[in-house]
Amino acid sequence: MFEYLRPRSLDTAQEVIEYLALHQAAQDFRLEVEYREQFEAHCQWYYQTAAENRADLAQMRREANLLGWFSRRRDEGSLR
């Protein structure tokens, strides 16, 4: 089935097993590198989004709270 992976110079079953193990290790390494790159990209996206959200929150806190003028809780608290 995997004859196309087997180099022609490998004659014994042990050599084929070692070759396939090496191939599997190389593939595992490649997958690990891809995973780490994707995780790093996700972290960068998360940090950027968090910074944007903090900036939006700071801007909202600076703006006037128009709906707060109509809040009953605020009026009830000031009557006491």
Side-chain angles (χ1 to χ4, degrees):
M1 178 176 187
F2 294 104
E3 290 82 16
Y4 64 93
L5 290 176
R6 182 177 171 260
R8 297 186 193 277
S9 63
L10 300 179
D11 293 327
T12 66
Q14 183 62 33
E15 290 175 331
V16 172
I17 291 171
E18 290 173 4
Y19 175 78
L20 291 175
L22 181 61
H23 179 71
Q24 184 65 46
Q27 182 147 351
D28 289 343
F29 178 77
R30 183 185 57 82
L31 291 174
E32 180 67 22
V33 168
E34 285 180 12
Y35 170 78
R36 290 182 184 205
E37 288 173 350
Q38 290 173 357
F39 182 72
E40 180 64 28
H42 172 76
C43 290
Q44 291 301 322
W45 168 84
Y46 183 86
Y47 295 141
Q48 179 182 357
T49 302
E52 291 171 1
N53 289 341
R54 284 191 297 271
D56 289 345
L57 178 61
Q59 181 181 357
M60 286 189 297
R61 286 182 173 165
R62 287 190 302 268
E63 294 174 353
N65 185 4
L66 298 176
L67 295 177
W69 292 346
F70 302 105
S71 174
R72 288 185 162 185
R73 289 184 189 170
R74 184 174 175 194
D75 294 338
E76 291 174 1
S78 62
L79 294 176
R80 292 182 188 177

